[in-house]
């Protein structure tokens, strides 16, 4: 592949991250269709603004507020955006419905980009780059890991999967299916009751010895309130770091997009315990609450790196703020 010839050069992972990110722009249709439910939820915005006139402003802004809250933008951002629109309307800076809509889009984009958060994967300088996937049960960790493996594979990288979910019996079988589907190698526990941390550290060792570019580590689902299981994650992180210093380079937390703002407490807790470097918001195709993407970035200051917009292998998309804004406010 066109990527492989750069493999020995410095900047390998920077280029890889950028290449993947650029795909989001060429694949804006997937993002667009993935956010259809949220877009339907926000269609009222167009109706409101189509017939807007100055004397109507307070009523229209009240209804706009309602629409943003229903789509889970969260009270803080909603109030902030509405205040800014109100001010600009009464100052005479926004003179038509379409100008108001453009300003709304600009405001949302600002929230997503103002902190300068990096949406590309950051895999450091050493091989293998290690990504650990964490989150509560059933959020879509293993599926997202499989889709990510597929994407990395498409860029010509050599990927090793690590079945760190030693808790659920069928978990490694599920990951083996993804290994076959994507043509990646996989490390699973050699014996029953193996510790997750030792499986992951073995995998990273093998990744280092056999020249893998990236090791993707699955972990079992756990509630953020379960202290001993959260401790296990710390042990996994440490064990990986002993093999390759600076690893895991990315700790990506998977959040179920259908839960909307309810994802915030678990996101905070995981971040406090293991230090989350990026978020993957899944199942947005089944959610009308896609505004949570904006509130989660604003509340946590952690970038959304990928969004899951369907069950297919291609349906994990790099997050592009502009494509997202265009998808929800067409
Ligand atoms: N529609 C849709 N479904 C998804 C998406 N991501 C994951 N799923 C589905 O969510 C379900 C759970 O996915 P898993 O990947 O097994 O979740 P997990 O977090 O690994 O679960 P545990 O390992 O049990 O904690 C599966 O049926 C997936 O197909 C998505 O973006 N869109
Ligand atoms: Mg899983």
């Amino acid at each position: 592949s066109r990527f492989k010839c750069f493999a020995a050069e410095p900047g390998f992972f920077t280029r890889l991250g950028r290449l993947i990110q650029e795909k989001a722009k060429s694949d804006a249709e997937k993002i667009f269709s993935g956010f259809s439910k949220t877009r339907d939820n926000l269609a009222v915005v167009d109706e409101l603004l189509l017939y807007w006139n100055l004397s109507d402003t307070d009523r229209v802004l009240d209804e706009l507020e309602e629409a943003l809250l229903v789509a889970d933008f969260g009270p803080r951002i909603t109030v902030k955006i509405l205040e800014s629109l109100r001010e600009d309307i009464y100052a005479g800076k926004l003179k038509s419905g379409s100008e108001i809509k453009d300003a709304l889009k600009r405001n949302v984009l600002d929230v997503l980009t103002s902190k300068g958060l990096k949406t590309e994967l950051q895999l450091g300088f050493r091989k293998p780059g290690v990504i650990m996937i964490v989150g509560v049960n059933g959020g879509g960790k293993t599926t997202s890991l499989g889709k990510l493996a597929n994407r990395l594979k498409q860029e010509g990288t050599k990927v090793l999967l690590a079945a760190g979910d030693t808790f659920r019996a069928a978990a490694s079988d599920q990951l083996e299916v993804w290994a076959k589907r994507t043509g990646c190698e996989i490390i699973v526990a050699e014996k029953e009751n193996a510790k997750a941390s030792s499986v992951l550290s073995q995998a990273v060792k093998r990744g280092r010895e056999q020249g893998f570019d990236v090791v993707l580590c699955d972990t079992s689902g756990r509630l953020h309130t379960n202290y001993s299981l959260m401790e296990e994650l710390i042990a996994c992180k440490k064990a990986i770091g002993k093999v390759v210093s600076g690893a895991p380079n990315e700790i990506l937390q998977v959040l179920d997009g259908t839960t909307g703002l309810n994802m915030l407490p678990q996101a905070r807790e995981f971040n406090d315990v293991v230090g989350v470097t990026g978020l993957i918001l899944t199942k947005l195709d089944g959610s009308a609450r896609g505004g949570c993407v904006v509130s989660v970035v604003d509340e946590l200051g952690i970038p959304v790196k990928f969004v899951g917009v369907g069950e297919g292998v291609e349906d994990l998309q790099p997050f592009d703020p502009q494509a997202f804004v265009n998808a929800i406010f067409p």
Side-chain angles (χ1 to χ4, degrees):
S1 91
R2 90 185 144 120
F3 189 66
K4 212 155 210 165
C5 53
F6 297 122
E9 289 178 22
F12 177 86
F13 286 129
T14 312
R15 254 183 237 114
L16 176 62
R18 212 172 286 151
L19 268 178
I20 288 176
Q21 184 64 26
E22 276 163 12
K23 289 276 155 69
K25 300 207 198 308
S26 59
D27 237 357
E29 274 160 51
K30 278 247 155 67
I31 302 262
F32 193 81
S33 64
F35 280 95
S36 63
K37 291 197 173 162
T38 302
R39 182 165 59 249
D40 291 349
N41 212 353
L42 289 166
V44 61
V45 171
D46 274 342
E47 288 161 36
L48 284 169
L49 295 179
L50 188 61
Y51 300 109
W52 171 86
N53 61 58
L54 194 56
S55 61
D56 249 2
T57 297
D58 286 338
R59 182 190 57 84
V60 167
L61 289 183
D62 281 351
E63 289 186 36
L64 190 57
E65 177 171 5
E66 177 72 22
L68 294 183
L69 288 174
V70 168
D72 266 2
F73 279 81
R76 207 168 86 178
I77 290 172
T78 302
V79 167
K80 204 159 82 181
I81 290 178
L82 279 152
E83 281 315 302
S84 147
L85 292 180
R86 192 183 309 272
E87 210 172 283
D88 287 352
I89 291 171
Y90 285 120
K93 288 186 200 159
L94 303 174
K95 295 192 239 11
S96 69
S98 73
E99 284 181 12
I100 299 173
K101 185 171 167 190
D102 287 344
L104 168 66
K105 290 173 75 167
R106 238 180 0 255
N107 272 293
V108 172
L109 194 62
D110 272 355
V111 178
L112 290 169
T113 55
S114 66
K115 294 191 170 112
L117 301 168
K118 292 224 164 64
T119 54
E120 299 100 324
L121 283 176
Q122 309 287 315
L123 292 174
F125 308 100
R126 282 187 193 85
K127 285 187 190 179
V130 181
I131 301 175
M132 192 164 109
I133 311 274
V134 303
V136 302
N137 310 72
K141 289 178 296 301
T142 307
T143 309
S144 298
L145 186 151
K147 293 170 176 173
L148 188 55
N150 182 59
R151 212 162 254 285
L152 290 165
K153 201 71 208 265
Q154 279 173 0
E155 299 302 343
T157 45
K158 195 175 167 196
V159 182
L160 180 62
L161 308 186
D165 181 353
T166 52
F167 196 70
R168 212 161 43 83
S172 56
D173 299 341
Q174 189 190 354
L175 201 64
E176 298 220 32
V177 172
W178 277 106
K180 285 214 180 74
R181 191 177 292 163
T182 56
C184 293
E185 287 182 55
I186 177 171
I187 294 279
V188 299
E190 274 162 16
K191 54 183 195 316
E192 258 180 76
N193 304 321
K195 275 194 197 160
S197 57
S198 67
V199 176
L200 296 183
S201 107
Q202 251 176 38
V204 177
K205 257 181 214 145
R206 165 129 172 247
R208 193 187 59 193
E209 281 153 16
Q210 301 186 357
F212 281 86
D213 298 315
V214 181
V215 181
L216 291 177
C217 303
D218 196 18
T219 63
S220 43
R222 68 203 69 220
L223 276 177
H224 53 292
T225 47
N226 186 324
Y227 185 73
S228 63
L229 287 182
M230 291 303 278
E231 289 265 283
E232 187 199 62
L233 273 189
I234 299 176
C236 289
K237 185 180 171 181
K238 276 191 188 145
I240 292 169
K242 274 189 190 151
V243 184
V244 175
S245 90
N249 308 85
E250 290 272 18
I251 298 183
L252 301 180
Q253 182 176 9
V254 169
L255 297 167
D256 181 335
T258 58
T259 65
L261 287 175
N262 295 330
M263 67 176 60
L264 281 172
Q266 43 169 292
R268 277 202 194 92
E269 196 63 34
F270 272 86
N271 186 37
D272 287 348
V273 174
V274 286
V276 173
T277 59
L279 305 169
I280 299 179
L281 264 56
T282 58
K283 308 186 195 180
L284 288 163
D285 51 304
S287 173
R289 307 165 80 183
C292 66
V293 172
V294 187
S295 41
V296 89
V297 170
D298 184 57
E299 296 275 344
L300 302 170
I302 302 172
V304 173
K305 300 215 165 182
F306 292 93
V307 287
V309 290
E311 298 203 79
V313 66
E314 305 279 341
D315 291 333
L316 185 75
Q317 289 291 323
F319 181 65
D320 180 61
Q322 184 70 66
F324 164 76
V325 171
N326 291 340
I328 61 170
F329 299 115

